[in-house]
């Protein structure tokens, strides 16, 4: 079937994507969440030895871009340049390890969009017709009479919609309804979490409409010109979704619909292993996108993860609402890794979460008081009692806890329950603090016959900290690299190495607090 590209080495090659964000405003905490989530998964997969391709970027065409640019007395490309730079800089500040930052204004992408459209056109998957109905500029989409109601408001953003009557090209999306339902039913993990899968299956109980894929240039000039009609541009969502294929290297932007690229899927990153996004754009990813791919005879992405929303005072955090939090400002107080930890620890992957400064602070305290404190007391004691050299002892005082944590965390990560992986990892640090309290190394140090016990305590602590650096690496990469260095390691061990690492004889080093106290 479509999902079973021959010999696709699923587990050892991972192609992960975030949405490409609208280049109409600066990144906020919601965008940062998706991107940090994707980055944490990317780092986790790399840690397990997979070859990873991690894509993010900006969505630069469409009416909203055209209007925002006009309001600011800029051309759309000037606005796009400025915003792409702002997103890319924000992601670098948040230590996002993307491999490719795609912009939909790139010639390569425009070429690939044309290629796909030509292909669909040649295959009779696109026809023209007159569309008359309601259009929301904010959401860049058409709505039916019933959906806009008597007030003529967009059901999503509640803004007034416009009545339009225009020639449109339509994609025969309705032809793929049964196949899509079958695909979702045959692959229970294709859309996660299950609530979103049920929502899509519910949506597919209604007859699927064909999809308008064009906008007349008279209304919207800023987009990819249709290869078969120079007076129309491609609908921004179709243009945007294709970015995932562009960046995979599957298609040659310079050749036509019959190019071998369509047949030879061996060398590219396509199909994506995982598309990550917020639940606001699940329909475009789980309905428009797979049906377009089916029509173009291309394999479907392996999995789609739709997470929840960051909420502020009962409302979705959004640029259009004006209640956004700047992740870069929070970084100044709590550091990059503090922001990353808060985002992943506080939002159950898939559900909504409420941003409050208090919760942020409490999560940071957990990092400082549990993980940071463990590291600082263990390293101080190794310095104080053993001249900074980790004792050569079995160090298996926490062996059972380590083994069960590693398997639980792996299970959570593989099931995309990242917050559970975080909570479980932090529990191991908590257990290790309990171990210190129970063993009382300060008493062992006073008792001359306690030398072996003390060696064992300190070796066990060094070992559990090495394991913690591996567990926390995906979410707090800078701090864990720093901590591994303080343990005398050249780098953070992989999870596999952490299972059997031996640290005896390494020299530890004290340093400034890993997670300094933040006064508020
Ligand atoms: O939709 N909580 O771009 P966009 C959680 N260009 N996540 C949030 C959020 C919030 N309050 N606000 C935004 C687009 N996000 C299209 C995508 S993809 C082919 C085209 C995150 O700039 C979340 O990932 O509006 C959401 O899906 C995305 O930003 C929307 O970003």
């Amino acid at each position: 079937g479509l999902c079973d590209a021959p010999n696709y080495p699923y587990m050892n090659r991972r192609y992960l994507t975030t949405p490409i964000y609208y280049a109409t405003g600066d990144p906020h905490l919601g965008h940062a969440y998706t991107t940090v989530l994707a980055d944490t998964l990317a780092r986790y997969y790399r840690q397990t030895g997979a070859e990873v391709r991690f894509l993010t970027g900006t969505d630069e065409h469409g009416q909203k871009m055209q209007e925002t640019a006009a309001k600011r007395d800029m051309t759309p490309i000037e606005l796009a340049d400025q915003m792409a730079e702002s997103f890319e800089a924000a992601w670098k500040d948040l230590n996002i390890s993307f491999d490719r930052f795609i912009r939909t204004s790139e010639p390569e992408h425009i070429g690939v969009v044309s290629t796909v459209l030509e292909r669909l056109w040649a295959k009779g998957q696109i026809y023209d017709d007159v569309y008359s109905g309601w259009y929301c500029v904010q959401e860049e989409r058409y709505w039916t009479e019933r959906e806009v109601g008597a007030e003529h408001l967009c059901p999503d953003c509640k803004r007034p919609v416009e009545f339009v009557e225009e020639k449109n090209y339509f994609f025969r999306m309705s032809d793929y309804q049964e196949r899509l339902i079958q695909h979702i039913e045959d692959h229970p993990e294709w859309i996660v979490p299950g609530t979103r899968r049920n929502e899509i299956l519910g949506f597919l109980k209604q007859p699927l409409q064909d999809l308008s894929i064009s906008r007349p240039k008279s209304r919207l000039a800023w987009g990819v010109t249709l290869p078969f009609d120079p007076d129309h541009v491609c609908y921004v969502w179709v243009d945007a979704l294709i970015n995932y294929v562009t960046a995979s290297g599957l298609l040659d932007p310079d050749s036509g619909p019959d190019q071998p690229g369509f047949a030879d899927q061996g060398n590219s990153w396509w199909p994506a292993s995982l598309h990550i996004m917020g639940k606001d754009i699940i329909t475009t990813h789980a309905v428009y996108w797979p049906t377009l791919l089916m029509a173009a005879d291309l394999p479907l992405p392996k999995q789609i993860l739709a997470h929840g929303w960051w909420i502020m005072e009962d409302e979705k955090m959004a640029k259009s609402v004006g209640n956004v939090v700047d992740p870069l400002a929070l970084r100044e107080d709590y550091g990059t890794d503090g922001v990353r930890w808060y985002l992943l620890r506080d939002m159950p992957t898939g559900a909504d979460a409420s941003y409050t400064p208090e919760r942020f602070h409490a999560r940071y305290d957990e990092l400082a008081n549990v993980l940071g404190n463990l590291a600082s007391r263990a390293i101080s004691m190794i310095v104080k009692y053993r001249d900074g050299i980790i004792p050569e002892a079995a160090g298996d005082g926490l062996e059972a806890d380590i083994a069960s944590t590693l398997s639980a965390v792996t299970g959570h990560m593989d099931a995309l329950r990242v917050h559970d992986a975080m909570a479980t990892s932090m529990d191991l640090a908590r257990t290790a603090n309990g171990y210190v309290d129970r063993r009382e190394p300060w008493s062992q140090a006073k008792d001359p016959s306690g030398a072996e016990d003390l060696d064992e305590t300190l070796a066990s602590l060094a070992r559990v900290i090495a394991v913690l650096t591996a567990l926390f690496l995906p979410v707090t990469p800078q701090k864990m690299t720093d901590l591994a260095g303080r343990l005398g390691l050249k780098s953070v061990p992989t999870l596999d190495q952490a299972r059997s690492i031996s640290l005896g004889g390494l020299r530890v080093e004290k340093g400034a607090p890993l997670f300094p106290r933040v006064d508020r």
Side-chain angles (χ1 to χ4, degrees):
L2 272 175
C3 211
D4 310 309
N7 306 322
Y8 183 70
Y10 178 41
M11 295 312 285
N12 281 318
R13 284 190 96 201
R14 301 266 191 167
Y15 176 29
L16 306 184
T17 70
T18 71
I20 48 170
Y21 305 109
Y22 285 128
T24 48
D26 288 313
H28 61 66
L29 205 72
H31 304 120
Y33 173 73
T34 315
T35 314
V36 168
L37 175 62
D39 185 59
T40 297
L41 289 167
R43 288 175 185 273
Y44 169 75
Y45 296 138
R46 286 190 202 108
Q47 215 181 13
T48 62
E51 204 188 332
V52 173
R53 173 88 164 168
F54 172 17
L55 170 71
T56 189
T58 41
D59 187 354
E60 305 184 353
H61 290 133
Q63 192 157 348
K64 224 187 327 178
M65 272 302 279
Q66 185 171 286
E67 290 183 358
T68 309
K71 266 189 227 142
R72 299 193 195 172
D73 258 336
M74 295 169 101
T75 62
I77 192 67
E78 281 167 352
L79 176 64
D81 285 348
Q82 183 183 321
M83 287 302 157
E85 206 181 301
S86 161
F87 273 91
E88 202 169 343
W91 300 156
K92 288 194 172 141
D93 284 344
L94 284 170
N95 208 1
I96 304 299
S97 60
F98 57 87
D99 300 296
R100 167 93 155 90
F101 188 98
I102 194 171
R103 301 183 49 187
T104 53
S105 59
E106 287 171 20
E108 181 188 358
H109 175 67
I110 293 170
V112 170
V113 172
S114 282
T115 303
V116 172
L117 291 174
E118 252 181 290
R119 165 86 170 179
L120 294 173
W121 180 250
K123 294 184 74 205
Q125 303 296 311
I126 293 173
Y127 61 94
D128 65 323
D129 202 352
V130 172
Y131 177 88
S132 64
W134 300 96
Y135 191 71
C136 172
V137 173
Q138 176 71 22
E139 305 292 325
E140 309 242 22
R141 58 165 293 178
Y142 296 98
W143 294 104
T144 63
E145 186 75 41
R146 188 170 54 86
E147 286 165 327
V148 300
E151 316 252 87
H152 299 147
L153 296 179
C154 169
D156 272 4
C157 73
K158 318 289 178 218
R159 285 182 171 72
V161 288
E162 290 172 17
F163 190 83
V164 295
E165 188 167 57
E166 57 197 25
K167 177 175 160 184
N168 260 206
Y169 289 88
F170 290 87
F171 159 54
R172 299 187 189 281
M173 189 159 74
S174 58
D175 287 359
Y176 296 90
Q177 177 158 13
E178 286 316 310
R179 228 168 113 188
L180 179 59
I181 294 172
Q182 197 59 52
H183 182 81
I184 298 173
E185 284 177 348
D186 290 347
H187 301 86
E189 300 292 309
W190 190 59
I191 304 171
V192 283
T195 45
R196 300 278 95 82
R197 176 175 184 267
N198 294 339
E199 188 182 299
I200 293 295
L201 283 171
F203 173 81
L204 290 169
K205 291 214 164 81
Q206 308 293 322
L208 197 55
Q209 308 290 307
D210 287 345
L211 179 69
S212 162
I213 58 140
S214 69
R215 299 292 181 263
K217 276 194 182 167
S218 53
R219 184 152 68 78
L220 173 66
W222 177 237
V224 180
T225 301
L226 296 187
F228 41 83
D229 187 337
D231 294 331
H232 295 258
V233 296
C234 180
Y235 172 40
V236 67
W237 261 107
V238 172
D239 168 357
L241 287 162
I242 293 172
N243 93 87
Y244 302 132
V245 164
T246 306
S248 77
L250 176 64
L251 301 181
D252 177 351
D254 299 321
S255 51
D258 298 323
Q259 65 168 277
F262 276 106
D264 171 26
Q265 286 141 17
N267 301 324
S268 85
W269 284 92
W270 195 255
S273 320
L274 182 64
H275 289 319
I276 301 168
M277 76 214 69
K279 64 183 180 181
D280 47 329
I281 54 177
I282 178 76
T283 309
T284 50
H285 283 81
V287 180
Y288 298 6
W289 184 223
T291 54
L292 283 163
L293 288 166
M294 285 173 183
D297 271 335
L298 296 176
L300 304 194
K302 297 281 176 185
Q303 203 172 29
I304 295 172
L305 169 64
H307 63 69
W309 282 342
W310 284 95
I311 307 283
M312 282 266 274
E313 284 142 22
D314 296 334
E315 226 179 336
K316 180 189 171 200
M317 190 185 289
K319 194 170 54 222
S320 54
V321 183
N323 60 349
V324 299
V325 172
D326 176 5
L328 302 184
L330 289 166
R331 248 179 92 237
E332 285 166 21
D333 284 338
Y334 296 96
T336 299
D337 285 349
V339 175
R340 293 171 59 105
W341 164 254
Y342 166 73
L343 287 171
L344 293 197
R345 177 63 189 88
D346 217 44
M347 175 178 271
T349 323
D352 291 348
S354 230
Y355 171 83
T356 69
E358 292 72 27
R359 285 190 73 89
F360 195 111
H361 199 80
R363 288 303 183 195
Y364 182 79
D365 278 354
E366 192 180 21
L367 212 44
N369 299 344
V370 182
L371 181 59
N373 186 40
L374 172 72
S376 116
R377 45 199 310 219
I379 290 175
S380 298
M381 289 187 292
I382 294 169
V383 168
K384 185 166 173 196
Y385 302 132
R386 292 293 180 262
D387 288 329
I389 306 296
I390 300 173
E392 304 269 4
D396 52 12
L398 287 153
E399 220 39 53
D401 300 288
I402 289 173
S404 67
T405 303
L406 284 171
S407 80
V409 167
T410 308
H412 290 318
M413 289 299 274
D414 292 345
L416 304 174
R417 292 189 305 265
V418 178
H419 64 295
D420 284 332
M422 300 298 137
T424 306
S425 302
M426 191 56 92
D427 282 344
L428 180 63
R430 241 178 230 111
T431 303
N433 276 314
Y435 174 79
V436 176
D437 299 340
R438 217 167 49 243
R439 298 278 292 188
E440 298 189 359
W442 44 90
S443 312
Q444 291 173 333
K446 276 187 212 136
D447 173 3
S449 69
E452 264 177 42
D453 283 348
L454 180 57
D455 280 350
E456 177 56 21
T457 306
L458 298 177
S460 296
L461 288 174
R463 178 155 153 61
V464 78
I465 292 171
V467 169
L468 288 164
T469 62
L471 289 169
F472 280 88
L473 180 75
V475 63
T476 55
Q478 284 165 352
K479 298 292 183 178
M480 292 307 105
T481 304
D482 180 352
L483 181 54
R486 294 183 194 197
L487 274 187
L489 292 167
K490 289 202 179 60
S491 59
V492 176
T494 65
L495 287 171
D496 261 349
Q497 291 164 344
R499 280 173 216 276
S500 56
I501 197 163
S502 105
L503 299 148
L506 292 181
R507 174 176 291 282
V508 302
E509 206 178 299
K510 281 211 246 187
L514 214 47
F515 301 102
R517 222 165 257 298
V518 176
D519 294 324
R520 22 183 349 228

